[in-house]
Amino acid sequence: MDHSLPSRPSSDLAAEVAGLARRYRRANGPVIRLVNRLGNTLESRLSTLPAGLRSQIEKVTAQALLASYGVAARAPDLGERGPLAAVIAAGAAGGAGGLPTAVAELPVTVTIFLNAIRAEARNAGLDPDDDRVRAECLQVFAAGTPLAQDDGVNTSFIASRLALTGSTVQNLIAAIAPKFAAVLGQKLAAQAVPVIGGISGAALNAAFLSYYREIARVRFALLALAKIHGAEAVDAEFRLAATPPKVINA
């Protein structure tokens, strides 16, 4: 008779992924929840931006991602609190002069975001200078948006993307830029009013940094689990744990 105890990888995986899913759902802090409630206001303000600028936001975003991808690798580690101070200062400066300074601030803020995400990869035991990890850092920007509630789980967040193969940086950025541009476009709209926009820019930058840092922590933890249990198993567990249950009316 075999008296060996059965292994429980599925139960252990389910518990770990459930904890990560809770963190994923809690990523939206109080400032982000306030912004969500003001979503219609930001959308209407975004529509008042010059048409030429609106059409360029995605292009500017892609350029900022590409530039920050190179710069972040050479930027110094700002520590735990440094990125927060940096994005608050950048957001305040960007919004203080209205749209012109807000647009000029974008590459700086995106670089700080990416630098903080790289730090989370390093904290998870990954090498942020490894090409695959650098690509995973970029993918954090595609993992949902802090300005809206996703229906279910964003598919760029889970197993089909846990192992990148054959994607160039340019193709990856081209895929990420539209969603990230929508986020940054609403940020620009909030910063469009000089002086007052500085306060909005500082608050939104701080909230976005917190959001993307938390998403990065969850993502890199999922990557670690995928190495142990396989991407498909992690995918299935995360979809199950992160998708809100449907409410059935009696």
Side-chain angles (χ1 to χ4, degrees), residues 132 136 139 153-165 167 172 219 222-223 226 230-236 238-239:
R132 188 181 295 273
E136 291 291 349
Q139 282 280 29
V153 181
N154 186 285
T155 55
S156 68
F157 188 67
I158 43 185
S160 61
R161 305 286 185 170
L162 287 177
L164 295 173
T165 57
S167 295
L172 182 58
R219 183 175 185 85
L222 288 174
L223 285 172
E232 291 185 1
V234 174
D235 178 15
F238 190 74
R239 284 180 182 273

Side-chain angles (χ1 to χ4, degrees), residues 141-234:
F141 292 123
T145 163
L147 290 179
Q149 295 297 325
D150 284 7
D151 294 327
V153 181
N154 186 285
T155 55
S156 68
F157 188 67
I158 43 185
S160 61
R161 305 286 185 170
L162 287 177
L164 295 173
T165 57
S167 295
T168 65
V169 172
Q170 289 79 9
N171 288 339
L172 182 58
I173 288 175
I176 293 170
K179 172 169 278 192
F180 195 35
V183 175
L184 296 181
Q186 293 190 44
K187 188 177 92 74
L188 285 177
Q191 292 177 280
V193 181
V195 182
I196 296 177
I199 299 174
S200 300
L204 285 174
N205 274 8
F208 287 3
L209 176 67
S210 174
Y211 175 84
Y212 288 122
R213 265 181 161 173
E214 188 67 2
I215 292 298
R217 289 167 186 151
V218 173
R219 183 175 185 85
F220 297 134
L222 288 174
L223 285 172
L225 287 175
K227 290 182 179 180
I228 300 171
H229 301 282
E232 291 185 1
V234 174

Side-chain angles (χ1 to χ4, degrees), residues 6 20 35 45 59-60 63 71 80 118 143 160 163 168 187:
L20 292 172
V35 173
R45 188 175 293 177
K59 181 179 179 181
V60 171
Q63 291 173 339
V71 172
E80 181 65 25
R118 284 169 49 84
S160 61
T168 65
K187 188 177 92 74

Side-chain angles (χ1 to χ4, degrees), residues 95-154:
L99 275 177
T101 53
V103 173
E105 169 238 333
L106 278 184
V108 176
T109 294
V110 172
T111 300
I112 298 170
F113 286 165
L114 189 54
N115 183 276
I117 291 169
R118 284 169 49 84
E120 294 302 331
R122 187 182 299 109
N123 292 340
L126 303 173
D127 178 6
D129 292 323
D130 178 83
D131 287 342
R132 188 181 295 273
V133 176
R134 292 176 74 193
E136 291 291 349
C137 289
L138 282 176
Q139 282 280 29
V140 171
F141 292 123
T145 163
L147 290 179
Q149 295 297 325
D150 284 7
D151 294 327
V153 181
N154 186 285

Side-chain angles (χ1 to χ4, degrees), residues 1-61:
M1 180 180 295
D2 184 5
H3 295 285
S4 61
L5 293 176
S7 59
R8 297 174 53 197
S10 297
S11 297
D12 293 343
L13 176 62
E16 291 188 69
V17 172
L20 292 172
R22 286 192 293 271
R23 293 190 66 172
Y24 176 67
R25 290 193 295 268
R26 289 198 303 262
N28 288 332
V31 175
I32 292 297
R33 288 194 292 271
L34 174 60
V35 173
N36 284 334
R37 289 197 291 270
L38 297 176
N40 291 335
T41 301
L42 285 179
E43 287 285 356
S44 62
R45 188 175 293 177
L46 179 60
S47 68
T48 66
L49 296 180
L53 176 60
R54 294 202 307 272
S55 66
Q56 290 296 312
I57 288 177
E58 187 173 321
K59 181 179 179 181
V60 171
T61 300

